[in-house]
Amino acid sequence: MRSRRQAPEPPPPGGILWDIAGDVRALLALPAALTMQVAHPAVGAGVDTYSVFRTDPWGRGERSLRSLQTWVYGGESAAEEGRRLRELHKHFRGTDAHGREYHALTPAYYAWVHATGFPVYRHAQKYLGRPFTEAQERQLYAEWLQVGRILGIHDRDMPQTLEEFWPYYAKVLADELEETEVVRDLIATDRPVPPPDRGPYLLRVTLRALWPLLLPPMARFRRFITIGLMPPDARSAIGLPWTPLQERRLRRFGRVVRTVVPLLPERLRYLPMAYEARRRAQPPS
């Protein structure tokens, strides 16, 4: 284990991840990355066995989001969060749907969970913001490697350049991914989901009362945005349907999002941890 003095540095203030990871638009892309992760049979089996995403989806989502934000905006806490996650996953082991044994910290599996973030950020940006230039893609990938180091992944287990990443990515898509049971749960529109149990009391009571009406359209939107913001090659590898009509709808939705969100004040555009970190990083006026 690295000492604190040798802990890897998180992505720097002013970098691409500082701009996009805490932007509220990132919330739209996260389900696509999660679905790609659990499309790997070993990862899907671990989530199926050990996660509470079915019984406590709101709590699970809140904890995952806090962890992700810490990797980028947490400063000295970032490496500590990476160590906490590795310790948590040490005991996650079992057998996948094909009868193969897995361990959550097997480098290939843990690295795939991390790797999904880059192609999803890249693809979602084409709809929700301005597409990255080649230089920006390389910078984003370099920063994502820093996140991998925060998570305790060795450089030897991560492609170190884009030229190395894309063949690795294509091989995982071709050889590993499938529509696992957890994938089916994440894109289903007919599975029970409890109403939100966080936020102001009156809001929770209102949502609980309206939940039978709100859940069906929310589930349909979740499926739409999950599949739509997944890179097409990953979508095809998993076997998820996507039509030209859905693509046109996604493009229209993206135009609205990338027009409206930049007009919001920063305290509304960014999630709380990101907003506070960005505010502290501003030079004194």
Side-chain angles (χ1 to χ4, degrees):
M1 182 180 294
R2 293 183 175 93
S3 70
R4 291 181 185 276
R5 187 163 54 91
Q6 299 171 315
E9 294 290 330
I16 292 179
L17 279 175
W18 268 60
D19 278 344
I20 65 174
D23 188 302
V24 293
R25 286 172 285 188
L27 296 175
L28 296 169
L30 288 178
L34 175 60
T35 303
M36 286 173 60
Q37 292 166 15
V38 299
H40 191 295
V43 180
V47 170
D48 196 17
T49 301
Y50 294 101
S51 177
V52 295
F53 77 97
R54 294 184 181 95
T55 56
D56 183 24
W58 306 102
R60 182 69 184 89
E62 181 181 64
R63 292 188 294 274
S64 296
L65 186 60
R66 187 188 311 122
S67 183
L68 189 155
Q69 297 283 288
T70 303
W71 308 342
V72 177
Y73 303 104
E76 294 181 358
S77 299
E80 182 179 341
E81 175 63 9
R83 290 190 292 270
R84 185 192 71 83
L85 287 173
R86 290 189 70 85
E87 185 65 25
L88 175 68
H89 286 83
K90 278 172 58 174
H91 308 292
F92 292 1
R93 62 176 72 238
T95 305
D96 71 16
H98 301 284
R100 300 172 300 199
E101 293 185 356
Y102 70 84
H103 187 282
L105 294 182
T106 297
Y109 306 156
Y110 209 61
W112 171 249
V113 171
H114 162 258
T116 57
F118 172 73
V120 169
Y121 275 133
R122 176 180 179 268
H123 181 64
Q125 186 71 12
K126 298 176 183 178
Y127 295 89
L128 307 178
R130 292 184 177 181
F132 294 125
T133 65
E134 181 180 348
Q136 288 173 325
E137 282 190 19
R138 291 186 180 279
Q139 181 183 346
L140 174 60
Y141 189 70
E143 293 179 15
W144 200 240
L145 287 177
Q146 287 181 256
V147 170
R149 297 177 189 117
I150 288 288
L151 296 175
I153 304 172
H154 295 293
D155 280 358
R156 65 175 178 267
D157 296 319
M158 298 184 291
Q160 292 298 291
T161 65
L162 283 183
E163 287 75 15
E164 294 175 357
F165 176 81
W166 291 118
Y168 152 79
Y169 172 74
K171 181 171 175 56
V172 176
L173 297 190
D175 295 348
E176 301 288 350
L177 298 199
E178 61 185 42
E179 189 178 354
T180 63
E181 182 61 32
V182 181
V183 167
R184 288 189 283 273
D185 276 349
L186 292 178
I187 63 172
T189 59
D190 59 353
R191 308 290 168 89
V193 177
D197 56 0
R198 280 150 176 77
Y201 174 74
L202 287 179
L203 177 61
R204 284 185 280 122
V205 170
T206 302
L207 288 175
R208 192 179 304 125
L210 296 176
W211 199 239
L213 297 176
L214 295 176
L215 179 57
M218 286 181 58
R220 290 192 295 270
F221 177 75
R222 180 185 62 185
R223 177 185 172 91
F224 170 74
I225 208 70
T226 297
I227 299 177
L229 292 183
M230 186 181 296
D233 48 5
R235 185 193 303 151
S236 177
I238 300 170
L240 302 179
W242 189 248
T243 67
L245 175 60
Q246 289 173 312
E247 179 67 20
R248 290 193 294 272
R249 288 174 175 169
L250 181 62
R251 291 182 182 277
R252 288 197 296 269
F253 175 74
R255 282 197 293 271
V256 173
V257 170
R258 66 174 178 263
T259 299
V260 172
V261 173
L263 300 178
L264 297 175
E266 187 149 325
R267 69 180 181 276
L268 297 179
R269 178 181 166 188
Y270 283 91
L271 299 169
M273 183 184 295
Y275 172 71
E276 288 300 324
R278 288 169 60 86
R279 184 181 61 80
R280 291 193 301 269
Q282 291 295 321
S285 55

